C-alpha cells in the first residue's frame, strides 16, 4: 500500500477523472460492473485510499469474494479501516425508506471521516439497484442526485 500526501490520479474506465469525481454508470451484468470497477477499486488500495462500498445485502458475500479475487486482502483492509462495506439498509434505506437528507449527511460524514482517519481519498462505490424497486422515498432519487452534485465539489474524493 502506498500512502502519499501527493494527490494521485484517479482512473475509471480507461479515463483519468478530473476534480469533479461523481460518476454514474449503468451495467448490463454484474461481470461487466466488476470488469469496469475493479481496476478503480484496486488502484485506490494501491494509493492507500479508503474504500467505502454500499451494496445489495444479497450480494455482499459475492462482492467480498470479487474483491479478494482482485487481490484485495479484505480482512486486513476492514480491520485497518481502509475498507467498509455496508448494506443498502444501513445507508439509503435506513428506517425502511429513502431519506435524501439523511443520505447526504451520511455521504458528507463518510468523506470527512476518511480524511480524519488519514486516508488521502475515499473512493465511494454505491450500488443503487434498490432504486428500481418500489421503495418508499424512491421518487426523491433525482432530486438527491442533483443535490449530491452540489455537495461533492467540496471534496476531492471519488464517488461512483
Amino acid at each position: 500500500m502506498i500512502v502519499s500526501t501527493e494527490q494521485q490520479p484517479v482512473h475509471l474506465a480507461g479515463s483519468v477523472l478530473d476534480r469533479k469525481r461523481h460518476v454514474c454508470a449503468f451495467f448490463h451484468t454484474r461481470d461487466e460492473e466488476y470488469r469496469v470497477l475493479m481496476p478503480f477499486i484496486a488502484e485506490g488500495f494501491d494509493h492507500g485510499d479508503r474504500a467505502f462500498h454500499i451494496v445489495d445485502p444479497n450480494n455482499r458475500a459475492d462482492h467480498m469474494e470479487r474483491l479478494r479475487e482482485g487481490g484485495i486482502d479484505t480482512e486486513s483492509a476492514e480491520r485497518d479501516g481502509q475498507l467498509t462495506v455496508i448494506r443498502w439498509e444501513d445507508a439509503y434505506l435506513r428506517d425502511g425508506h429513502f431519506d435524501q437528507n439523511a443520505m447526504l449527511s451520511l455521504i458528507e460524514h463518510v468523506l470527512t471521516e476518511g480524511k480524519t482517519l488519514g486516508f488521502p481519498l475515499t473512493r465511494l462505490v454505491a450500488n443503487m439497484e434498490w432504486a428500481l424497486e418500489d421503495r418508499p422515498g424512491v421518487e426523491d432519487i433525482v432530486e438527491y442526485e442533483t443535490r449530491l452534485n452540489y455537495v461533492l465539489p467540496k471534496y476531492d474524493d471519488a464517488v461512483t
Side-chain angles (χ1 to χ4, degrees), residues 146-160:
T146 300
R147 291 178 64 198
L148 187 60
N149 284 328
Y150 288 97
V151 168
L152 294 177
K154 297 187 289 185
Y155 304 93
D156 291 329
D157 306 281
V159 177
T160 63

Side-chain angles (χ1 to χ4, degrees), residues 9-141:
V10 176
H11 297 88
L12 179 65
S15 297
V16 176
L17 300 182
D18 65 9
R19 174 73 175 80
K20 295 179 182 176
R21 297 179 177 161
H22 179 202
V23 178
C24 179
F26 297 90
F27 303 103
H28 295 286
T29 66
R30 197 147 323 281
D31 287 340
E32 178 185 37
E33 177 182 358
Y34 284 94
R35 190 170 50 253
V36 171
L37 292 179
M38 275 309 300
F40 167 79
I41 293 167
E43 176 187 80
F45 279 91
D46 290 344
H47 290 177
D49 297 340
R50 180 181 189 207
F52 192 95
H53 299 175
I54 304 169
V55 300
D56 178 342
N58 297 318
N59 295 332
R60 187 182 194 286
D62 178 61
H63 181 72
M64 299 302 281
E65 181 59 30
R66 288 179 187 256
L67 294 179
R68 284 188 289 276
E69 288 173 359
I72 296 165
D73 180 350
T74 58
E75 287 182 20
S76 175
E78 283 184 304
R79 185 178 55 252
D80 296 342
Q82 188 176 16
L83 173 64
T84 302
V85 180
I86 65 171
R87 308 168 313 137
W88 292 338
E89 289 82 3
D90 300 320
Y92 293 107
L93 302 172
R94 289 177 281 175
D95 300 323
H97 68 280
F98 176 65
D99 177 339
Q100 64 176 307
N101 294 319
M103 192 59 205
L104 289 167
S105 292
L106 175 66
I107 296 288
E108 289 208 81
H109 171 77
V110 165
L111 300 181
T112 301
E113 181 182 55
K115 290 284 189 260
T116 301
L117 294 172
F119 294 102
L121 292 177
T122 295
R123 294 181 186 225
L124 194 149
V125 174
N127 180 291
M128 294 184 60
E129 288 179 25
W130 63 269
L132 300 173
E133 301 171 1
D134 186 20
R135 302 276 191 140
V138 73
E139 65 277 359
D140 294 334
I141 197 72

